[in-house]
Amino acid sequence: MPNKIELPPEEEYSFPEVPLTSASLISAGHHLGRQCDKANKEFMLCKAEEEDPRKCLREGKEVSRCAFAFFNQIRENCAESFTEYWTCVDNSQHDLYKCRKQQGVFDKCAFDKLGWVRPEMGDLNQVTVVKTERPKPVLDADVPTPEKSPKPQIPEDLKAPRLGSKVFFFS
Amino acid sequence: MAGAFYKQDMPPKGGYGPIDYKRMMPKRGPSGYVLFAGCIGVMAIGHVAFAYTNRQRKNRLYEQREAFFGIMPLLEAEWDRDTLKQLKHTQEQEAIIMKDVPDWVVGESVYHTKRWVRPRVEDLYFLANSKERREAMFGFNTFV
């Protein structure tokens, strides 16, 4: 019973990636988690409920769109301080605590120009309840297992081999 | 006759003084109680410093992890789209390669279920060129 892996049409999953390196992503992580909170949680809930990336492409696109808008806002307003911050993070093995000075400058810029507040510690890793309009999915039932083939009958007049087991030739 | 010329040697009056057999060491260093107290104090300070450093390190880890939580949905969305793109590419190549074989189902799942099973990296990249496949499979390994 072959199950073909169905793929959605290509325009559903053709969306550009955020063209940034890991240091800049991780140094904007707190603000990104706060600003794109709704899209992120919607997407993660969809992934957890559907257990299928093909059904969460719309939500994933929303996440990417929000991230693009977020980084564009940073580029327009706080490009210099953010570049300094993520360069420092890049040069210090992605340890955010080593770059408190640049982080303060960037946070001040973000608060003054964009009104973004860095979330307090423990804000982002809390378990939250997400209100969504997506109906609760019904997962596909598993394919029923086929009937087992009957066991082979061992003939009763089976004699022991003359030279012992053939598996261990030395015994 | 002899008794008049010698005198019996006798202890001095009142007897000998006590023999000075005791070990006379100069008193130096703190006493045992002070040493005990010092040890306990040093250990207490060490424990406090240890707890403080642990808390600091834990907070740093929390911070790193929260930063990762912020970008994780974005990364996951991009990975999902990448996986589907690679699957589509693989299926196209498979259709070209196996076009002469009758009754061949392109993109057949090897699993006995209708649900989504996350394909392995080997399944995604087995038709890509070797450099691409190597990077996908071992690209994030930092060891040799």
Side-chain angles (χ1 to χ4, degrees):
Chain A
M1 202 183 312
N3 298 308
K4 196 172 178 302
I5 303 176
E6 299 288 347
L7 291 181
E10 195 168 1
E11 63 268 11
E12 282 187 31
Y13 52 85
S14 54
F15 198 81
E17 290 185 356
V18 176
L20 289 176
T21 145
S22 58
S24 49
L25 284 175
I26 203 100
S27 52
H30 286 88
H31 283 300
L32 183 65
R34 171 54 61 82
Q35 299 306 320
C36 297
D37 194 43
K38 194 155 183 295
N40 284 357
K41 281 177 179 161
E42 190 81 37
F43 174 67
M44 293 312 270
L45 178 75
C46 176
K47 281 294 295 273
E49 275 187 353
E50 300 269 6
E51 301 179 5
D52 194 342
R54 292 170 294 185
K55 291 172 185 167
C56 299
L57 291 170
R58 198 168 49 81
E59 283 84 354
K61 252 185 207 178
E62 203 55 48
V63 168
S64 281
R65 213 170 283 143
C66 180
F68 265 107
F70 172 84
F71 283 110
N72 280 335
Q73 261 174 316
I74 286 186
R75 184 167 59 186
E76 282 160 18
N77 293 297
C78 299
E80 279 180 31
S81 54
F82 181 63
T83 308
E84 221 159 272
Y85 180 36
W86 78 253
T87 314
C88 171
V89 171
D90 201 12
N91 289 335
S92 50
Q93 293 89 41
H94 289 206
D95 282 339
L96 294 177
Y97 73 93
K98 290 179 183 167
C99 301
R100 291 277 181 241
K101 218 161 69 183
Q102 291 90 336
Q103 179 185 326
V105 176
F106 171 59
D107 277 1
K108 194 168 176 303
C109 173
F111 181 70
D112 289 345
K113 293 191 176 170
L114 298 163
W116 294 348
V117 185
R118 175 172 286 265
E120 293 278 315
M121 196 171 89
D123 276 8
L124 286 181
N125 60 4
Q126 275 169 0
V127 178
T128 44
V129 178
V130 183
K131 208 172 189 179
T132 179
E133 288 154 9
R134 193 167 42 79
K136 195 179 178 187
V138 182
L139 295 181
D140 291 340
D142 273 343
V143 179
T145 49
E147 286 180 17
K148 283 181 182 174
S149 53
K151 269 189 179 179
Q153 290 292 324
I154 300 172
E156 287 185 5
D157 53 343
L158 197 66
K159 285 178 196 164
R162 195 169 57 87
L163 293 172
S165 171
K166 295 288 190 300
V167 178
F168 301 105
F169 61 94
F170 44 81
S171 62
Chain B
M1 107 183 173
F5 300 106
Y6 62 88
K7 192 179 164 201
Q8 175 69 39
D9 199 7
M10 293 294 283
K13 238 178 190 178
Y16 290 108
I19 299 169
D20 191 13
Y21 66 90
K22 270 188 186 162
R23 203 171 169 221
M24 299 291 285
M25 295 286 280
K27 201 181 173 189
R28 53 170 209 170
S31 69
Y33 291 114
V34 176
L35 282 178
F36 262 121
C39 277
I40 290 171
V42 165
M43 285 200 292
I45 292 171
H47 277 97
V48 169
F50 188 56
Y52 178 74
T53 320
N54 268 353
R55 199 170 301 161
Q56 211 177 14
R57 202 169 54 206
K58 205 173 70 185
N59 287 349
R60 286 170 185 166
L61 270 178
Y62 273 152
E63 194 192 2
Q64 294 288 132
R65 212 173 295 168
E66 280 180 5
F68 186 68
F69 286 164
I71 60 171
M72 191 164 69
L74 173 66
L75 295 180
E76 202 158 306
E78 289 180 353
W79 289 336
D80 286 350
R81 276 183 251 130
D82 250 18
T83 305
L84 292 179
K85 271 178 209 165
Q86 194 62 37
L87 260 182
K88 169 116 181 162
H89 177 73
T90 311
Q91 287 192 3
E92 282 170 359
Q93 294 292 312
E94 193 183 334
I96 293 171
I97 292 168
M98 304 301 287
K99 63 176 182 269
D100 298 334
V101 181
D103 299 341
W104 181 263
V105 184
V106 174
E108 185 183 342
S109 174
V110 294
Y111 302 105
H112 192 71
T113 177
K114 281 178 191 164
R115 295 190 195 177
W116 171 260
V117 182
R118 193 162 58 90
R120 303 180 302 155
V121 187
E122 295 93 323
D123 292 342
L124 285 178
Y125 285 89
F126 74 105
L127 286 178
N129 60 28
S130 66
K131 189 175 176 236
E132 212 173 300
R133 183 171 62 236
R134 211 185 315 123
E135 275 186 8
M137 288 169 73
F138 308 111
F140 290 109
N141 283 0
T142 51
F143 52 84
V144 180

